[in-house]
Amino acid sequence: MRNTTKTMVLAPRCARHYNDGEAAAHGEAAMALNVREQEQSLVVTGQPVQRGTIPTGHRLMLVDNGHFFTVAAGVIYCDGTAVTQSATDVLAMHRVGSGIVVVNATGLIHLRYSGNTVVETAVSEAVPQLQLTMADQFTSQQQLAAVTFAEPYTTWAAPLSAADEKTIASNFAMAWKTASTAITSVGAYFTPLMACYGVRLHDDNYLWISNPTTIGLTTMANAQQVAANCVTASSRYTGIVAATLAMSAYRVGIKVTSGVGEHWLPLVKAIDVFVTTQPTIASQSLSYRCAATHGTSRVPALLYGWQAQSQEQVLAQLAASGWSMVATTTDLASLADGRFVASNVVRVAATATDVVSAPMVGGATLTREQVEAIARGSSEVAPVASLVRNGRLYTASADGHLAMTAQGNALATAQVTHVTGAQVLALAPVLRPLYSGGFGRYAVYMFTNEGIYAVAQSAQGRLGEARLVDRAVIAPGCVPVDGDRDVYFVNRYNSLCRLTGSAVEVLLPGIGEVQALAWDDCHGELHVLADGGETLAVQASGHYSRRTVAASQLYNDTSHALAVTAQGEVLDLTHENDAQQQVLYQSHPIVLAGQCAVPRSVSWCVISNAAQVALSLHGERGMSCHGFLIGRLRVNGVVRAPLAVPVVSSPCRSVRFTVDGTALSGTVIATLKIRF
């Protein structure tokens, strides 16, 4: 009779959910506890190494150089010592450069190390109080030559001949140029300006810039027309007499009210004063009027000059202008004495005002966008999400504004831009090139109530508008984590998802509400803390195993994956101690035959130095007969070789393999075989 015995070989894997367990690949588990996949086998995990403790009831926010930064009742602690108070909920803490940044619901709190302690660095204490005003006002006068008309006029009315208009315009242009050049050459101005001042750090990034103030509006009168009386002969108008162009001018005055805070002195390099480019208060086109009478002499006169701009037009030019440095001081001690000491600044004792007396050579310039970004960063738009990438801190407000700091310096804001109209929920780094969708360069993912966006970035590092990647919406309160160049998050349907480039994959559907995620880079696992306190370790393959880590918190950054117990013990998930662990592996149903088959023997391959486990084989034969025991082998001690066990069973459609008990970490559950 022909031998019809068959042998099925399967590699055990961690758990994966299936509505129909028979659809699972052979060896996939329905339940797994304290195991991880390794080389087509399962290995029993160890117990995480304890790295320290935090006070009970504290929330771990940051691990930096062995220091634990925690929060409890709005107070920020470092290693259990109170540092400062946060008026609103603390959302995150980051190490950026040499400082610590606390992100709360209203803005940022900056901390720094001072010896062995941590102190708050209040930005307001770094800001001196300066008043930028008009000062040293004077008038620059230029003579406008008399003009003899090419042909006398019998009546005094516009228009004049083209030749006369050209002569008058030429005379006025020469006088205007001479007067304006004389003013600017001595560091003075003849038009309105906007002025501001900034606090510059030693890396030449700006910590803070004041709101612009408008000065010199009275110089709008420089665009008024001048008057020249007419020359008459034989009742005819033959020309105009000489006139005077008087241009009022001023210099920028700096009045110091207070200086830089004492503990900021080592951090601040200079205080810089900026003004906008001088606007055009009058166009270079002649405007004139033939007045029948003018002044007290009541004689005919010509009123002429350039076409004046309105005040609204001038202010619009100022708002769109770039900024140039006109004065800078590194003498911070003199600021405390009420002096702004610079090479091109003189003191006017009568008014106790320092005046910019000459143009600054080689002064820095800032664009309008840079000033707006720094000024807006100084006012700290309320963030809802934050991220550190490539040494830059990114913070996003709920209304779609994204702020980016200077590299390695969270005190200096490099750019603030509106990137999306959707409500922002979270940020994550873009770790892979986005080949599809035409995204080009990229900076961060922005998770919103409308989907996931990628924020565009120019070759010069400037942020652009966000572009939609996927319609998946992150669950409220979920903080995404990155691992192995992917980003993991929980969507609004409580499914664990993986974002790879521009593609979203559901790893674990219906996982339930999740408190936190943490990526273990050493073992390539994602730890998931469920709302009920259960901890799962999800493999990159999507398979998972429950863990007996009694965690109440998870902490994750690029260097750490930590769990915190209710007692405040800080456990390092990336490093494990050997321990006798509770172990469970139960496979999904493995179909032997379409109808039924009779199991003949089973071979277990368990390698362990100390195992107390039951190796069980259960059979199933439909809904009315399932889960019945076919054979069980108890192992107690050292196991070094496969265990082949004959079994006697009635026919069954499918079988399940189960390993249940305790085993030393490092125990291997390898290839399983069944003959039927």
Side-chain angles (χ1 to χ4, degrees):
M1 183 176 179
R2 185 163 61 92
N3 184 4
T4 58
T5 301
K6 297 180 180 179
T7 300
M8 182 181 293
V9 180
L10 53 97
R13 306 196 71 177
C14 285
R16 191 160 199 162
H17 173 75
Y18 290 92
N19 291 325
D20 177 10
E22 292 184 355
H26 291 172
E28 286 187 312
M31 292 185 289
L33 175 66
N34 289 332
V35 292
R36 68 169 55 97
E37 296 178 357
Q38 181 176 307
E39 298 176 354
Q40 302 297 309
S41 303
L42 296 180
V43 178
V44 177
T45 63
Q47 278 293 331
V49 175
Q50 184 173 341
R51 295 301 187 190
T53 59
I54 62 174
T56 303
H58 283 219
R59 182 160 56 105
L60 181 62
M61 301 301 301
L62 178 69
V63 179
D64 182 61
N65 290 330
H67 298 288
F68 294 149
F69 289 84
T70 59
V71 172
V75 180
I76 299 167
Y77 296 83
C78 177
D79 297 332
T81 302
V83 176
T84 188
Q85 179 87 27
S86 175
T88 55
D89 290 340
V90 174
L91 305 178
M93 293 181 68
H94 305 282
R95 171 69 182 263
V96 183
S98 60
I100 306 296
V101 182
V102 180
V103 182
N104 63 21
T106 56
L108 305 179
I109 300 174
H110 297 275
L111 309 177
R112 63 183 176 87
Y113 290 102
S114 177
N116 295 324
T117 61
V118 177
V119 296
E120 182 178 358
T121 304
V123 173
S124 60
E125 296 177 9
V127 179
Q129 297 301 310
L130 308 183
Q131 295 179 10
L132 304 179
T133 62
M134 292 177 66
D136 194 20
Q137 300 180 49
F138 62 96
T139 301
S140 176
Q141 295 185 346
Q142 288 297 321
Q143 199 73 14
L144 290 163
V147 175
T148 300
F149 296 141
E151 295 290 339
Y153 297 95
T154 57
T155 58
W156 186 235
L160 303 180
S161 68
D164 291 337
E165 287 182 354
K166 182 177 180 181
T167 301
I168 294 169
S170 177
N171 286 349
F172 191 84
M174 184 178 298
W176 180 278
K177 182 177 180 181
T178 303
S180 60
T181 301
I183 292 171
T184 56
S185 65
V186 294
Y189 304 92
F190 60 92
T191 67
L193 292 174
M194 280 186 175
C196 68
Y197 65 98
V199 179
R200 180 157 51 98
L201 303 176
H202 282 281
D203 61 359
D204 287 330
N205 285 304
Y206 283 91
L207 167 69
W208 181 91
I209 279 185
S210 68
N211 289 322
T213 181
T214 304
I215 59 176
L217 279 176
T218 56
T219 58
M220 287 292 296
N222 289 336
Q224 293 179 357
Q225 295 174 329
V226 298
N229 291 339
C230 285
V231 177
T232 59
S234 303
S235 300
R236 303 176 75 184
Y237 302 93
T238 60
I240 56 175
V241 300
T244 301
L245 173 63
M247 297 182 70
S248 61
Y250 66 94
R251 292 185 174 91
V252 175
I254 307 170
K255 195 161 188 174
V256 181
T257 305
S258 65
V260 175
E262 183 177 353
H263 72 268
W264 275 95
L265 294 176
L267 304 176
V268 174
K269 180 178 181 179
I271 305 300
D272 301 331
V273 176
F274 290 88
V275 299
T276 54
T277 303
Q278 289 199 97
T280 301
I281 60 174
S283 64
Q284 299 291 306
S285 60
L286 184 66
S287 173
Y288 63 90
R289 181 169 63 90
C290 296
T293 60
H294 178 73
T296 57
S297 60
R298 313 296 293 173
V299 297
L302 180 68
L303 279 66
Y304 65 101
W306 294 141
Q307 181 71 44
Q309 301 279 342
S310 68
Q311 182 171 306
E312 290 74 17
Q313 290 174 316
V314 171
L315 293 177
Q317 292 180 59
L318 292 175
S321 173
W323 295 80
S324 299
M325 186 188 299
V326 294
T328 181
T329 182
T330 57
D331 189 349
L332 304 183
S334 294
L335 286 175
D337 297 330
R339 295 282 308 270
F340 192 98
V341 177
S343 60
N344 65 330
V345 171
V346 297
R347 182 76 167 182
V348 179
T351 59
T353 302
D354 298 299
V355 177
V356 181
S357 60
M360 184 174 178
V361 178
T365 60
L366 294 175
T367 65
R368 175 180 59 84
E369 292 80 6
Q370 287 175 306
V371 170
E372 288 177 353
I374 299 168
R376 181 156 192 170
S378 303
S379 63
E380 294 184 342
V381 177
V384 295
S386 61
L387 166 74
V388 172
R389 180 176 184 268
N390 294 335
R392 297 180 184 270
L393 174 67
Y394 296 83
T395 53
S397 60
D399 61 359
H401 282 87
L402 183 65
M404 177 181 70
T405 69
Q407 192 165 27
N409 188 353
L411 293 168
T413 302
Q415 186 184 359
V416 178
T417 185
H418 188 261
V419 295
T420 178
Q423 179 185 353
V424 179
L425 302 174
L427 297 176
V430 176
L431 302 169
R432 296 175 182 263
L434 303 181
Y435 292 111
S436 61
F439 296 98
R441 294 176 65 90
Y442 48 86
V444 295
Y445 290 118
M446 184 173 280
F447 292 80
T448 74
N449 63 338
E450 296 179 0
I452 304 171
Y453 289 80
V455 179
Q457 189 176 39
S458 71
Q460 292 74 35
R462 305 294 293 173
L463 299 175
E465 289 188 359
R467 304 186 65 180
L468 185 65
V469 171
D470 194 273
R471 285 294 184 187
V473 176
I474 196 169
C478 175
V479 179
V481 301
D482 57 276
D484 195 24
R485 301 183 69 204
D486 295 324
V487 175
Y488 295 86
F489 66 98
V490 177
N491 68 13
R492 58 181 168 181
Y493 305 115
N494 293 327
S495 295
L496 180 65
C497 301
R498 175 167 57 200
L499 173 58
T500 303
S502 56
V504 174
E505 172 191 4
V506 175
L507 286 182
L508 293 178
I511 196 173
E513 294 187 8
V514 171
Q515 293 187 39
L517 305 173
W519 176 260
D520 174 3
D521 196 52
C522 179
H523 301 109
E525 296 175 333
L526 178 71
H527 291 263
V528 180
L529 179 59
D531 200 38
E534 183 181 50
T535 304
L536 304 178
V538 183
Q539 316 287 304
S541 62
H543 297 88
Y544 66 92
S545 169
R546 291 188 297 115
R547 297 290 166 84
T548 52
V549 177
S552 61
Q553 304 175 44
L554 290 182
Y555 171 82
N556 180 89
D557 62 27
T558 55
S559 303
H560 304 89
L562 305 175
V564 182
T565 67
Q567 294 73 37
E569 298 173 336
V570 180
L571 307 177
D572 187 350
L573 299 173
T574 63
H575 295 82
E576 297 176 342
N577 289 325
D578 290 341
Q580 196 74 12
Q581 292 276 71
Q582 184 181 353
V583 178
L584 174 63
Y585 163 76
Q586 185 179 81
S587 70
H588 281 291
I590 300 167
V591 178
L592 300 179
Q595 298 298 319
C596 284
V598 179
R600 303 295 185 185
S601 66
V602 60
S603 177
W604 304 87
C605 186
V606 177
I607 302 172
S608 177
N609 289 328
Q612 291 82 42
V613 295
L615 310 178
S616 305
L617 182 69
H618 293 82
E620 299 189 348
R621 196 166 52 241
M623 292 297 295
S624 61
C625 185
H626 64 278
F628 59 87
L629 182 64
I630 295 176
R632 174 175 294 160
L633 176 65
R634 293 189 180 276
V635 175
N636 186 1
V638 178
V639 185
R640 293 294 185 191
L643 303 172
V645 182
V647 295
V648 177
S649 172
S650 58
C652 54
R653 184 174 184 273
S654 60
V655 295
R656 289 179 185 261
F657 289 86
T658 303
V659 179
D660 188 11
T662 63
L664 185 66
S665 55
T667 295
V668 177
I669 303 173
T671 305
L672 306 174
K673 296 181 182 179
I674 182 170
R675 290 179 64 249
F676 58 94

